[in-house]
Amino acid sequence: MTALASVSIGASLRPTAAPGGRRFKIGRASDNDIVLVDDTVSRYHAELRFLDDGRLLLRDIQSRHGTQLVHYGEQREIEADFVGRSDTIYFGDMEVSVGDLLDEIALKHPELAAAVTDREARIHRCRCGALRRARESCPECG
């Protein structure tokens, strides 16, 4: 996994109001909310949205080298997908855990730390890949 030193938060990190919640831009350019230092990361690569229902949505924004989600050892290209703290993402060739992204957001914005922890306590990824709320059965496999 890439060292955290390669992941930095932009100096002017300001969550942007978006339909359904806050979003954070991810990419190589210094004006992104989360700056990833790697030549295979596009200047404006992806965005992470905090939805009102507690889920996290990661969306590739037409990056050159793509965004891939790794779930239980399977790696697949995504345009947009729900992610959880334990998921691993490849932005181009750079491997980053969603947990690392969330930790970096919480460090820069302590007021969001409780929301990040609370969201993760409410949303879980089932072995089949579906996201579900805590204490609810999986919609895919029961």
Side-chain angles (χ1 to χ4, degrees), residues 3 11 14 18 24 33 56 59-60 64 68 72-73 78 84-85 87 89 97 101 103 105 107 125-126 133 137:
R14 289 187 184 84
F24 295 89
D33 301 311
L56 297 169
R59 184 174 70 91
D60 183 274
R64 183 174 188 176
Q68 297 185 0
Y72 288 103
I78 63 167
R85 176 175 279 280
D87 288 330
I89 306 297
S97 77
L101 296 175
D103 290 346
I105 290 168
L107 283 173
R125 185 175 291 277
C126 183
R133 294 187 187 282
S137 61

Side-chain angles (χ1 to χ4, degrees), residues 96-117:
V96 180
S97 77
V98 173
D100 288 344
L101 296 175
L102 295 175
D103 290 346
E104 290 292 325
I105 290 168
L107 283 173
K108 183 67 177 180
H109 285 277
E111 73 277 11
L112 296 179
V116 168
T117 302

